[in-house]
Amino acid sequence: DAGITQSPRHKVTETGTPVTLRCHQTENHRYMYWYRQDPGHGLRLIHYSYGVKDTDKGEVSDGYSVSRSKTEDFLLTLESATSSQTSVYFCAISDPDRGGYGYTFGSGTRLTVV
Amino acid sequence: KNEVEQSPQNLTAQEGEFITINCSYSVGISALHWLQQHPGGGIVSLFMLSSGKKKHGRLIATINIQEKHSSLHITASHPRDSAVYICAVMSGNQFYFGTGTSLTVIP
């Protein structure tokens, strides 16, 4: 979707290194989410944000941190990457305050930790 | 704990068949989404429902709030409909997802 972009699209990194994934939106939506998608598990929430500097943990937050210093950017950091964090990461945005509960996903980041 | 359950997990159909995918949920919701993901691809929201029924082309989505159940129907299925279909519900500030239904439509 044109209103939300993720970078990088693909990344290979070594165990123990820090990695930061970026989600950028141009929709001015209040809520932003980071999910990981793994076979057999579907989409699982890592962290989400409900405003600048307002974030909360999801069900699989261990080993991840996030930051949101601007409305348009939501960063996901793997503090010390492990092989179990090899996954496809999706960012999503929504804005329930606008009454639509619309939900838009980014194209995903495929991360491989070797 | 699975707040959202989908069935079937896998579905194979002949081109032209009518397809139904079901979603049941256990939490109070403000909206329900049906998402589509093609192999290796991104995720697209097909429908957002809070009541009743919506139709878009050959796709129809219904929701029964009292029964906490939604269905996605595909009429006159086509091989390009082959994808994973995911049910997602919004409850409070969070979304909960089903594990998806993998649909293969054979020509």
Side-chain angles (χ1 to χ4, degrees):
Chain A
D1 235 87
I4 176 171
T5 54
Q6 290 184 231
S7 58
R9 291 294 309 277
H10 302 272
K11 185 170 182 67
V12 179
T13 192
E14 292 185 350
T15 299
T17 60
V19 177
T20 295
L21 309 182
R22 181 181 184 233
C23 178
H24 178 78
Q25 60 143 329
T26 57
E27 304 296 321
N28 202 33
H29 281 6
R30 189 156 76 97
Y31 284 79
M32 299 184 76
Y33 308 82
W34 276 109
Y35 296 95
R36 59 178 290 174
Q37 186 180 42
D38 304 288
H41 288 280
L43 285 155
R44 291 183 291 174
L45 180 66
I46 304 171
H47 283 277
Y48 69 101
S49 168
Y50 45 95
V52 173
K53 297 193 188 329
D54 291 325
T55 64
D56 207 349
K57 295 179 180 180
E59 64 176 300
V60 291
S61 59
D62 287 349
Y64 301 95
S65 62
V66 289
S67 67
R68 190 159 177 212
S69 58
K70 299 185 289 185
T71 298
E72 55 266 36
D73 288 323
F74 192 33
L75 304 180
L76 176 71
T77 297
L78 287 65
E79 292 139 10
S80 177
T82 67
S83 58
S84 65
Q85 293 175 311
T86 293
S87 186
V88 180
Y89 291 84
F90 286 96
C91 176
I93 60 174
S94 73
D95 203 328
D97 299 339
R98 300 186 186 184
Y101 303 109
Y103 198 30
T104 306
F105 283 85
S107 300
T109 295
R110 185 172 295 276
L111 176 68
T112 303
V113 183
V114 297
Chain B
K1 60 177 200 280
N2 288 318
E3 290 84 357
V4 181
E5 298 278 357
Q6 280 184 243
S7 63
Q9 280 192 310
N10 298 284
L11 183 56
T12 301
Q14 288 292 132
E15 183 173 358
E17 284 186 9
F18 180 85
I19 289 162
T20 296
I21 300 170
N22 295 299
C23 174
S24 296
Y25 54 91
S26 58
V27 294
I29 70 168
S30 50
L32 180 144
H33 291 254
W34 280 103
L35 310 173
Q36 181 193 55
Q37 185 176 28
H38 281 101
I43 300 171
V44 175
S45 178
L46 297 173
F47 291 104
M48 182 183 65
L49 295 161
S50 54
S51 64
K53 175 179 172 179
K54 285 190 176 181
K55 185 175 189 291
H56 184 247
R58 294 179 295 105
L59 303 178
I60 303 166
T62 64
I63 187 168
N64 185 317
I65 298 294
Q66 287 72 32
E67 295 185 6
K68 295 190 173 181
H69 182 267
S70 175
S71 293
L72 176 69
H73 305 286
I74 304 175
T75 62
S77 58
H78 190 277
R80 64 175 174 266
D81 297 325
S82 298
V84 175
Y85 293 84
I86 303 167
C87 175
V89 300
M90 184 171 190
S91 181
N93 295 333
Q94 295 199 30
F95 283 91
Y96 299 93
F97 298 87
T99 53
T101 295
S102 179
L103 171 65
T104 302
V105 181
I106 300 169

